[in-house]
Amino acid sequence: MVAGYASNDSACLPAEQQAYLSAMVLQGGPEPADYAILTSHLGTLNRLREEGAIASDVLRKALTRLCGPFASTESLIGHVLAQHRHGDFWIIDAIYRRHISGERSLQRWDEYFQSLAAATAVRARKEFFTAYLEEYSATVPNGRVLILGAGSCRDVADFLDNTVNPLQFDCVEADASAIAYAMDVCHEHLSNIQFFHQNALSFIPSGKYDLVASMGLFDYFRQSLFMKMLRRSMRFIHPLGKIVIGNFGPNPSRDVMGCAGWILYERTAEELLKLAHTAGVAARQSWVASEETGVNLFLLLHNAGTG
């Protein structure tokens, strides 16, 4: 039993965390000097959740009852707490855009959220992928690209905004709201993009692709589902095609995400390569890269198609 906390109490957090977080709300949010201590307290709560001392729904409810940013979907933390599908297109795009709420009482909280290593890594992931597409497009002009779990398509739009070698994109997304949002983000490039409102696991393409990419989908998959989707992706590419899959590595700010139930299957480079090899990709055809922070990893498969 945790001191100052009853596991069946749906109203309160452990006393120390309750007091600290309540004080932060009254203060109007953390200053940079508070970030480390705030992260430590959220880390304690997430570890209690992981150990089963606090149920996920109880933790979510208790945080929401603190009010302020925890209860407002206008804040990044509140938005994450309110979502049943974490990593949704809006929060990822808000991270890309470095969104800060227009409400003064929420601004410090959004600045804190945007400072986290996970948010920094998400932005770096987009920069990595747009650079990858630019390099790829120089060698495969007008190549055909499949994006699985396309979300806001901010990365696709940024690439098309700046390239002299446009590619043709088929973007698969299960969330109709995400597609509507992405069509607005990409409104100047719709001649280069076709959207498919389908689950990536059931999508069947009409032909082969030069490149299959997924930046933020595979790290929601358990091992068996990861393998299933990887093998499907291998069937979608030409014999000389390529695959690039983003996956969070060990994440130093997982505790903040975990408190809201945003759980990813983090994988090391070695684990990603093992999955590729198990799926039938030769060692010489696979390797792992990372963006500049080293938090997001990318499984790169070349010449991996089955023909």
Side-chain angles (χ1 to χ4, degrees):
M1 184 67 65
V2 180
Y5 177 76
S7 62
N8 62 352
D9 183 352
S10 63
C12 296
L13 300 167
E16 184 178 357
Q17 283 69 43
Q18 178 83 21
Y20 182 85
L21 294 177
S22 296
M24 279 292 108
V25 172
L26 290 174
Q27 176 181 299
E31 298 283 2
D34 300 315
Y35 288 2
I37 298 175
L38 173 57
T39 299
S40 176
H41 280 298
L42 292 172
T44 296
L45 293 176
N46 187 45
R47 284 189 289 279
L48 291 172
R49 182 196 62 78
E50 290 177 334
E51 294 165 1
I54 304 178
S56 294
D57 59 338
V58 170
L59 177 56
R60 186 192 303 269
K61 184 176 181 180
L63 286 170
T64 301
R65 289 195 178 194
L66 292 170
C67 297
F70 299 99
S72 173
T73 57
E74 296 301 311
S75 79
L76 299 175
I77 289 175
H79 181 89
V80 171
L81 279 168
Q83 292 302 302
H84 295 292
R85 178 179 179 269
H86 295 290
D88 74 302
F89 70 92
W90 189 89
I91 196 70
I92 297 300
D93 199 58
I95 293 171
Y96 287 159
R97 296 181 288 108
R98 297 180 183 267
H99 168 83
I100 301 295
S101 174
E103 294 189 26
R104 188 173 181 180
S105 64
L106 303 177
Q107 289 174 356
R108 290 182 187 174
W109 292 96
D110 281 359
E111 289 165 359
Y112 165 70
F113 189 99
Q114 295 284 20
S115 77
L116 294 169
T120 302
V122 166
R123 289 188 291 271
R125 178 180 73 189
K126 180 173 73 70
E127 297 307 314
F128 175 96
F129 186 49
T130 54
Y132 180 94
L133 288 172
E134 186 58 43
E135 182 178 348
Y136 182 78
S137 67
T139 60
V140 187
N142 206 40
R144 190 170 179 229
V145 181
L146 174 65
I147 307 290
L148 298 172
S152 72
C153 284
R154 182 73 61 179
D155 43 11
V156 172
D158 284 1
F159 162 72
L160 290 172
D161 280 344
N162 296 289
T163 191
V164 296
N165 300 303
L167 299 165
Q168 298 296 318
F169 293 89
D170 283 357
C171 296
V172 178
E173 172 57 51
D175 186 342
S177 297
I179 291 177
Y181 187 97
M183 290 182 71
D184 184 58
V185 169
C186 301
H187 68 277
E188 295 183 358
H189 306 292
L190 295 180
S191 61
N192 290 88
I193 305 171
Q194 185 173 7
F195 291 96
F196 294 86
H197 180 209
Q198 290 184 239
N199 189 308
L201 289 165
S202 58
F203 174 72
I204 300 175
S206 60
K208 300 285 188 177
Y209 292 92
D210 300 296
L211 172 67
V212 173
S214 182
M215 291 298 100
L217 182 63
F218 277 71
D219 41 15
Y220 289 94
F221 292 160
R222 295 180 185 272
Q223 302 292 76
S224 59
L225 201 52
F226 186 109
M227 293 294 300
K228 178 180 179 179
M229 195 67 245
L230 178 56
R231 289 192 173 106
R232 283 177 58 82
S233 299
M234 290 166 61
R235 295 198 295 270
F236 294 166
I237 60 174
H238 293 299
L240 298 181
K242 299 182 179 182
I243 297 174
V244 54
I245 295 169
N247 203 119
F248 259 76
N251 172 17
S253 55
R254 73 172 63 85
D255 291 332
V256 178
M257 299 161 63
C259 283
W262 186 350
I263 310 299
L264 301 177
Y265 293 98
E266 300 168 356
R267 295 180 172 97
T268 64
E270 292 74 19
E271 288 170 331
L272 288 170
L273 289 172
K274 183 177 180 180
L275 286 167
H277 301 164
T278 303
V281 182
R284 68 180 183 279
Q285 297 171 326
S286 58
W287 63 94
V288 173
S290 71
E291 37 74 24
E292 60 184 13
T293 74
V295 173
N296 265 296
L297 303 180
F298 304 91
L299 177 62
L300 306 172
L301 308 179
H302 291 194
N303 305 318
T306 57

PDB file of all heavy atoms in Angstrom, residues 37-66:
ATOM      1  N   ILE A  37      11.510  18.356 -11.136  1.00  0.00           N
ATOM      2  CA  ILE A  37      10.735  17.845 -10.009  1.00  0.00           C
ATOM      3  C   ILE A  37       9.350  17.400 -10.468  1.00  0.00           C
ATOM      4  O   ILE A  37       8.839  16.356 -10.045  1.00  0.00           O
ATOM      5  CB  ILE A  37      10.623  18.911  -8.900  1.00  0.00           C
ATOM      6  CG1 ILE A  37      12.017  19.249  -8.365  1.00  0.00           C
ATOM      7  CG2 ILE A  37       9.730  18.423  -7.766  1.00  0.00           C
ATOM      8  CD1 ILE A  37      12.036  20.376  -7.355  1.00  0.00           C
ATOM      9  N   LEU A  38       8.726  18.186 -11.349  1.00  0.00           N
ATOM     10  CA  LEU A  38       7.411  17.812 -11.885  1.00  0.00           C
ATOM     11  C   LEU A  38       7.493  16.471 -12.603  1.00  0.00           C
ATOM     12  O   LEU A  38       6.649  15.582 -12.392  1.00  0.00           O
ATOM     13  CB  LEU A  38       6.918  18.900 -12.837  1.00  0.00           C
ATOM     14  CG  LEU A  38       5.627  18.603 -13.617  1.00  0.00           C
ATOM     15  CD1 LEU A  38       4.471  18.285 -12.672  1.00  0.00           C
ATOM     16  CD2 LEU A  38       5.285  19.784 -14.526  1.00  0.00           C
ATOM     17  N   THR A  39       8.509  16.301 -13.423  1.00  0.00           N
ATOM     18  CA  THR A  39       8.678  15.049 -14.150  1.00  0.00           C
ATOM     19  C   THR A  39       8.903  13.889 -13.186  1.00  0.00           C
ATOM     20  O   THR A  39       8.398  12.781 -13.389  1.00  0.00           O
ATOM     21  CB  THR A  39       9.843  15.162 -15.143  1.00  0.00           C
ATOM     22  OG1 THR A  39       9.558  16.199 -16.085  1.00  0.00           O
ATOM     23  CG2 THR A  39      10.063  13.847 -15.898  1.00  0.00           C
ATOM     24  N   SER A  40       9.627  14.134 -12.109  1.00  0.00           N
ATOM     25  CA  SER A  40       9.872  13.097 -11.113  1.00  0.00           C
ATOM     26  C   SER A  40       8.567  12.652 -10.448  1.00  0.00           C
ATOM     27  O   SER A  40       8.328  11.447 -10.265  1.00  0.00           O
ATOM     28  CB  SER A  40      10.850  13.615 -10.054  1.00  0.00           C
ATOM     29  OG  SER A  40      11.029  12.651  -9.026  1.00  0.00           O
ATOM     30  N   HIS A  41       7.713  13.603 -10.104  1.00  0.00           N
ATOM     31  CA  HIS A  41       6.434  13.247  -9.477  1.00  0.00           C
ATOM     32  C   HIS A  41       5.542  12.479 -10.454  1.00  0.00           C
ATOM     33  O   HIS A  41       4.894  11.493 -10.081  1.00  0.00           O
ATOM     34  CB  HIS A  41       5.724  14.500  -8.979  1.00  0.00           C
ATOM     35  CG  HIS A  41       6.236  15.012  -7.679  1.00  0.00           C
ATOM     36  ND1 HIS A  41       6.172  14.284  -6.500  1.00  0.00           N
ATOM     37  CD2 HIS A  41       6.841  16.190  -7.346  1.00  0.00           C
ATOM     38  CE1 HIS A  41       6.699  14.975  -5.507  1.00  0.00           C
ATOM     39  NE2 HIS A  41       7.113  16.139  -5.998  1.00  0.00           N
ATOM     40  N   LEU A  42       5.490  12.914 -11.696  1.00  0.00           N
ATOM     41  CA  LEU A  42       4.701  12.180 -12.690  1.00  0.00           C
ATOM     42  C   LEU A  42       5.292  10.793 -12.920  1.00  0.00           C
ATOM     43  O   LEU A  42       4.563   9.826 -13.140  1.00  0.00           O
ATOM     44  CB  LEU A  42       4.637  12.974 -13.993  1.00  0.00           C
ATOM     45  CG  LEU A  42       3.828  14.278 -13.919  1.00  0.00           C
ATOM     46  CD1 LEU A  42       3.994  15.080 -15.199  1.00  0.00           C
ATOM     47  CD2 LEU A  42       2.352  13.995 -13.654  1.00  0.00           C
ATOM     48  N   GLY A  43       6.608  10.695 -12.847  1.00  0.00           N
ATOM     49  CA  GLY A  43       7.261   9.399 -12.967  1.00  0.00           C
ATOM     50  C   GLY A  43       6.864   8.461 -11.839  1.00  0.00           C
ATOM     51  O   GLY A  43       6.640   7.266 -12.054  1.00  0.00           O
ATOM     52  N   THR A  44       6.767   8.983 -10.624  1.00  0.00           N
ATOM     53  CA  THR A  44       6.320   8.169  -9.486  1.00  0.00           C
ATOM     54  C   THR A  44       4.919   7.632  -9.730  1.00  0.00           C
ATOM     55  O   THR A  44       4.636   6.443  -9.498  1.00  0.00           O
ATOM     56  CB  THR A  44       6.344   9.003  -8.199  1.00  0.00           C
ATOM     57  OG1 THR A  44       7.699   9.381  -7.903  1.00  0.00           O
ATOM     58  CG2 THR A  44       5.772   8.215  -7.023  1.00  0.00           C
ATOM     59  N   LEU A  45       4.036   8.491 -10.235  1.00  0.00           N
ATOM     60  CA  LEU A  45       2.665   8.052 -10.504  1.00  0.00           C
ATOM     61  C   LEU A  45       2.630   6.975 -11.585  1.00  0.00           C
ATOM     62  O   LEU A  45       1.892   5.984 -11.466  1.00  0.00           O
ATOM     63  CB  LEU A  45       1.812   9.249 -10.930  1.00  0.00           C
ATOM     64  CG  LEU A  45       1.569  10.311  -9.858  1.00  0.00           C
ATOM     65  CD1 LEU A  45       0.795  11.490 -10.443  1.00  0.00           C
ATOM     66  CD2 LEU A  45       0.836   9.729  -8.658  1.00  0.00           C
ATOM     67  N   ASN A  46       3.423   7.145 -12.617  1.00  0.00           N
ATOM     68  CA  ASN A  46       3.418   6.140 -13.678  1.00  0.00           C
ATOM     69  C   ASN A  46       3.970   4.809 -13.196  1.00  0.00           C
ATOM     70  O   ASN A  46       3.468   3.748 -13.552  1.00  0.00           O
ATOM     71  CB  ASN A  46       4.210   6.627 -14.886  1.00  0.00           C
ATOM     72  CG  ASN A  46       4.072   5.687 -16.066  1.00  0.00           C
ATOM     73  OD1 ASN A  46       2.985   5.235 -16.398  1.00  0.00           O
ATOM     74  ND2 ASN A  46       5.190   5.357 -16.701  1.00  0.00           N
ATOM     75  N   ARG A  47       4.998   4.855 -12.351  1.00  0.00           N
ATOM     76  CA  ARG A  47       5.543   3.595 -11.829  1.00  0.00           C
ATOM     77  C   ARG A  47       4.512   2.889 -10.940  1.00  0.00           C
ATOM     78  O   ARG A  47       4.407   1.652 -10.979  1.00  0.00           O
ATOM     79  CB  ARG A  47       6.839   3.862 -11.070  1.00  0.00           C
ATOM     80  CG  ARG A  47       8.019   4.123 -12.001  1.00  0.00           C
ATOM     81  CD  ARG A  47       9.328   4.176 -11.243  1.00  0.00           C
ATOM     82  NE  ARG A  47       9.431   5.368 -10.426  1.00  0.00           N
ATOM     83  CZ  ARG A  47       9.791   6.567 -10.865  1.00  0.00           C
ATOM     84  NH1 ARG A  47      10.066   6.738 -12.151  1.00  0.00           N
ATOM     85  NH2 ARG A  47       9.897   7.593 -10.052  1.00  0.00           N
ATOM     86  N   LEU A  48       3.748   3.656 -10.166  1.00  0.00           N
ATOM     87  CA  LEU A  48       2.673   3.052  -9.372  1.00  0.00           C
ATOM     88  C   LEU A  48       1.630   2.404 -10.284  1.00  0.00           C
ATOM     89  O   LEU A  48       1.094   1.337  -9.978  1.00  0.00           O
ATOM     90  CB  LEU A  48       2.026   4.104  -8.479  1.00  0.00           C
ATOM     91  CG  LEU A  48       2.889   4.635  -7.328  1.00  0.00           C
ATOM     92  CD1 LEU A  48       2.207   5.812  -6.641  1.00  0.00           C
ATOM     93  CD2 LEU A  48       3.199   3.528  -6.320  1.00  0.00           C
ATOM     94  N   ARG A  49       1.349   3.063 -11.401  1.00  0.00           N
ATOM     95  CA  ARG A  49       0.402   2.489 -12.369  1.00  0.00           C
ATOM     96  C   ARG A  49       0.969   1.199 -12.960  1.00  0.00           C
ATOM     97  O   ARG A  49       0.269   0.184 -13.057  1.00  0.00           O
ATOM     98  CB  ARG A  49       0.115   3.497 -13.484  1.00  0.00           C
ATOM     99  CG  ARG A  49      -0.891   3.010 -14.523  1.00  0.00           C
ATOM    100  CD  ARG A  49      -0.841   3.873 -15.771  1.00  0.00           C
ATOM    101  NE  ARG A  49       0.468   3.814 -16.401  1.00  0.00           N
ATOM    102  CZ  ARG A  49       0.891   2.808 -17.157  1.00  0.00           C
ATOM    103  NH1 ARG A  49       0.112   1.756 -17.380  1.00  0.00           N
ATOM    104  NH2 ARG A  49       2.108   2.828 -17.685  1.00  0.00           N
ATOM    105  N   GLU A  50       2.234   1.223 -13.338  1.00  0.00           N
ATOM    106  CA  GLU A  50       2.856   0.041 -13.934  1.00  0.00           C
ATOM    107  C   GLU A  50       2.893  -1.127 -12.955  1.00  0.00           C
ATOM    108  O   GLU A  50       2.755  -2.286 -13.356  1.00  0.00           O
ATOM    109  CB  GLU A  50       4.282   0.378 -14.388  1.00  0.00           C
ATOM    110  CG  GLU A  50       4.348   1.317 -15.582  1.00  0.00           C
ATOM    111  CD  GLU A  50       5.761   1.691 -15.953  1.00  0.00           C
ATOM    112  OE1 GLU A  50       6.654   1.659 -15.076  1.00  0.00           O
ATOM    113  OE2 GLU A  50       5.986   2.028 -17.130  1.00  0.00           O
ATOM    114  N   GLU A  51       3.067  -0.821 -11.677  1.00  0.00           N
ATOM    115  CA  GLU A  51       3.138  -1.869 -10.646  1.00  0.00           C
ATOM    116  C   GLU A  51       1.758  -2.340 -10.198  1.00  0.00           C
ATOM    117  O   GLU A  51       1.650  -3.293  -9.411  1.00  0.00           O
ATOM    118  CB  GLU A  51       3.914  -1.331  -9.441  1.00  0.00           C
ATOM    119  CG  GLU A  51       5.387  -1.054  -9.749  1.00  0.00           C
ATOM    120  CD  GLU A  51       6.058  -0.198  -8.695  1.00  0.00           C
ATOM    121  OE1 GLU A  51       5.365   0.176  -7.703  1.00  0.00           O
ATOM    122  OE2 GLU A  51       7.255   0.113  -8.843  1.00  0.00           O
ATOM    123  N   GLY A  52       0.693  -1.680 -10.671  1.00  0.00           N
ATOM    124  CA  GLY A  52      -0.653  -2.082 -10.309  1.00  0.00           C
ATOM    125  C   GLY A  52      -1.161  -1.476  -9.022  1.00  0.00           C
ATOM    126  O   GLY A  52      -2.251  -1.827  -8.549  1.00  0.00           O
ATOM    127  N   ALA A  53      -0.388  -0.557  -8.424  1.00  0.00           N
ATOM    128  CA  ALA A  53      -0.826   0.073  -7.186  1.00  0.00           C
ATOM    129  C   ALA A  53      -1.930   1.092  -7.446  1.00  0.00           C
ATOM    130  O   ALA A  53      -2.734   1.396  -6.549  1.00  0.00           O
ATOM    131  CB  ALA A  53       0.353   0.752  -6.482  1.00  0.00           C
ATOM    132  N   ILE A  54      -1.946   1.648  -8.645  1.00  0.00           N
ATOM    133  CA  ILE A  54      -3.010   2.563  -9.065  1.00  0.00           C
ATOM    134  C   ILE A  54      -3.504   2.088 -10.425  1.00  0.00           C
ATOM    135  O   ILE A  54      -2.705   1.938 -11.354  1.00  0.00           O
ATOM    136  CB  ILE A  54      -2.517   4.016  -9.192  1.00  0.00           C
ATOM    137  CG1 ILE A  54      -1.883   4.511  -7.903  1.00  0.00           C
ATOM    138  CG2 ILE A  54      -3.679   4.946  -9.568  1.00  0.00           C
ATOM    139  CD1 ILE A  54      -1.332   5.929  -7.983  1.00  0.00           C
ATOM    140  N   ALA A  55      -4.789   1.859 -10.536  1.00  0.00           N
ATOM    141  CA  ALA A  55      -5.348   1.471 -11.832  1.00  0.00           C
ATOM    142  C   ALA A  55      -5.286   2.648 -12.795  1.00  0.00           C
ATOM    143  O   ALA A  55      -5.378   3.804 -12.389  1.00  0.00           O
ATOM    144  CB  ALA A  55      -6.791   1.009 -11.668  1.00  0.00           C
ATOM    145  N   SER A  56      -5.117   2.346 -14.080  1.00  0.00           N
ATOM    146  CA  SER A  56      -4.974   3.403 -15.084  1.00  0.00           C
ATOM    147  C   SER A  56      -6.160   4.359 -15.083  1.00  0.00           C
ATOM    148  O   SER A  56      -5.993   5.582 -15.146  1.00  0.00           O
ATOM    149  CB  SER A  56      -4.810   2.786 -16.476  1.00  0.00           C
ATOM    150  OG  SER A  56      -3.605   2.071 -16.568  1.00  0.00           O
ATOM    151  N   ASP A  57      -7.375   3.806 -14.990  1.00  0.00           N
ATOM    152  CA  ASP A  57      -8.550   4.682 -15.026  1.00  0.00           C
ATOM    153  C   ASP A  57      -8.663   5.524 -13.762  1.00  0.00           C
ATOM    154  O   ASP A  57      -9.115   6.674 -13.804  1.00  0.00           O
ATOM    155  CB  ASP A  57      -9.826   3.873 -15.258  1.00  0.00           C
ATOM    156  CG  ASP A  57     -10.082   2.827 -14.185  1.00  0.00           C
ATOM    157  OD1 ASP A  57      -9.114   2.425 -13.495  1.00  0.00           O
ATOM    158  OD2 ASP A  57     -11.245   2.407 -14.034  1.00  0.00           O
ATOM    159  N   VAL A  58      -8.223   4.987 -12.630  1.00  0.00           N
ATOM    160  CA  VAL A  58      -8.230   5.750 -11.383  1.00  0.00           C
ATOM    161  C   VAL A  58      -7.229   6.889 -11.465  1.00  0.00           C
ATOM    162  O   VAL A  58      -7.510   8.029 -11.059  1.00  0.00           O
ATOM    163  CB  VAL A  58      -7.914   4.834 -10.181  1.00  0.00           C
ATOM    164  CG1 VAL A  58      -7.670   5.656  -8.912  1.00  0.00           C
ATOM    165  CG2 VAL A  58      -9.047   3.839  -9.965  1.00  0.00           C
ATOM    166  N   LEU A  59      -6.045   6.614 -12.003  1.00  0.00           N
ATOM    167  CA  LEU A  59      -5.024   7.650 -12.138  1.00  0.00           C
ATOM    168  C   LEU A  59      -5.496   8.759 -13.069  1.00  0.00           C
ATOM    169  O   LEU A  59      -5.351   9.944 -12.763  1.00  0.00           O
ATOM    170  CB  LEU A  59      -3.722   7.029 -12.655  1.00  0.00           C
ATOM    171  CG  LEU A  59      -2.567   8.009 -12.910  1.00  0.00           C
ATOM    172  CD1 LEU A  59      -2.244   8.822 -11.663  1.00  0.00           C
ATOM    173  CD2 LEU A  59      -1.334   7.249 -13.393  1.00  0.00           C
ATOM    174  N   ARG A  60      -6.070   8.373 -14.176  1.00  0.00           N
ATOM    175  CA  ARG A  60      -6.573   9.364 -15.122  1.00  0.00           C
ATOM    176  C   ARG A  60      -7.646  10.248 -14.460  1.00  0.00           C
ATOM    177  O   ARG A  60      -7.635  11.476 -14.598  1.00  0.00           O
ATOM    178  CB  ARG A  60      -7.150   8.661 -16.348  1.00  0.00           C
ATOM    179  CG  ARG A  60      -7.578   9.597 -17.467  1.00  0.00           C
ATOM    180  CD  ARG A  60      -8.393   8.828 -18.505  1.00  0.00           C
ATOM    181  NE  ARG A  60      -7.660   7.696 -19.037  1.00  0.00           N
ATOM    182  CZ  ARG A  60      -6.891   7.756 -20.115  1.00  0.00           C
ATOM    183  NH1 ARG A  60      -6.763   8.882 -20.779  1.00  0.00           N
ATOM    184  NH2 ARG A  60      -6.273   6.674 -20.556  1.00  0.00           N
ATOM    185  N   LYS A  61      -8.575   9.610 -13.740  1.00  0.00           N
ATOM    186  CA  LYS A  61      -9.658  10.357 -13.085  1.00  0.00           C
ATOM    187  C   LYS A  61      -9.107  11.284 -12.021  1.00  0.00           C
ATOM    188  O   LYS A  61      -9.540  12.447 -11.893  1.00  0.00           O
ATOM    189  CB  LYS A  61     -10.656   9.375 -12.485  1.00  0.00           C
ATOM    190  CG  LYS A  61     -11.873  10.031 -11.854  1.00  0.00           C
ATOM    191  CD  LYS A  61     -12.849   8.961 -11.368  1.00  0.00           C
ATOM    192  CE  LYS A  61     -14.105   9.586 -10.752  1.00  0.00           C
ATOM    193  NZ  LYS A  61     -15.051   8.538 -10.283  1.00  0.00           N
ATOM    194  N   ALA A  62      -8.136  10.797 -11.243  1.00  0.00           N
ATOM    195  CA  ALA A  62      -7.567  11.612 -10.170  1.00  0.00           C
ATOM    196  C   ALA A  62      -6.822  12.817 -10.731  1.00  0.00           C
ATOM    197  O   ALA A  62      -6.909  13.923 -10.185  1.00  0.00           O
ATOM    198  CB  ALA A  62      -6.645  10.757  -9.307  1.00  0.00           C
ATOM    199  N   LEU A  63      -6.083  12.619 -11.811  1.00  0.00           N
ATOM    200  CA  LEU A  63      -5.382  13.746 -12.433  1.00  0.00           C
ATOM    201  C   LEU A  63      -6.380  14.767 -12.978  1.00  0.00           C
ATOM    202  O   LEU A  63      -6.200  15.985 -12.817  1.00  0.00           O
ATOM    203  CB  LEU A  63      -4.469  13.242 -13.552  1.00  0.00           C
ATOM    204  CG  LEU A  63      -3.190  12.533 -13.117  1.00  0.00           C
ATOM    205  CD1 LEU A  63      -2.499  11.869 -14.303  1.00  0.00           C
ATOM    206  CD2 LEU A  63      -2.235  13.509 -12.428  1.00  0.00           C
ATOM    207  N   THR A  64      -7.424  14.272 -13.616  1.00  0.00           N
ATOM    208  CA  THR A  64      -8.426  15.186 -14.177  1.00  0.00           C
ATOM    209  C   THR A  64      -9.065  16.034 -13.089  1.00  0.00           C
ATOM    210  O   THR A  64      -9.364  17.214 -13.295  1.00  0.00           O
ATOM    211  CB  THR A  64      -9.492  14.388 -14.941  1.00  0.00           C
ATOM    212  OG1 THR A  64      -8.857  13.645 -15.987  1.00  0.00           O
ATOM    213  CG2 THR A  64     -10.526  15.316 -15.559  1.00  0.00           C
ATOM    214  N   ARG A  65      -9.254  15.460 -11.884  1.00  0.00           N
ATOM    215  CA  ARG A  65      -9.885  16.191 -10.785  1.00  0.00           C
ATOM    216  C   ARG A  65      -9.000  17.295 -10.223  1.00  0.00           C
ATOM    217  O   ARG A  65      -9.458  18.113  -9.424  1.00  0.00           O
ATOM    218  CB  ARG A  65     -10.289  15.229  -9.681  1.00  0.00           C
ATOM    219  CG  ARG A  65     -11.464  14.347 -10.072  1.00  0.00           C
ATOM    220  CD  ARG A  65     -12.069  13.665  -8.877  1.00  0.00           C
ATOM    221  NE  ARG A  65     -13.213  12.861  -9.270  1.00  0.00           N
ATOM    222  CZ  ARG A  65     -14.096  12.360  -8.407  1.00  0.00           C
ATOM    223  NH1 ARG A  65     -13.952  12.586  -7.111  1.00  0.00           N
ATOM    224  NH2 ARG A  65     -15.110  11.633  -8.827  1.00  0.00           N
ATOM    225  N   LEU A  66      -7.738  17.335 -10.633  1.00  0.00           N
ATOM    226  CA  LEU A  66      -6.880  18.445 -10.230  1.00  0.00           C
ATOM    227  C   LEU A  66      -7.281  19.728 -10.934  1.00  0.00           C
ATOM    228  O   LEU A  66      -6.861  20.821 -10.548  1.00  0.00           O
ATOM    229  CB  LEU A  66      -5.415  18.131 -10.561  1.00  0.00           C
ATOM    230  CG  LEU A  66      -4.749  17.026  -9.764  1.00  0.00           C
ATOM    231  CD1 LEU A  66      -3.402  16.689 -10.380  1.00  0.00           C
ATOM    232  CD2 LEU A  66      -4.581  17.437  -8.307  1.00  0.00           C
TER     233      LEU A  66
END
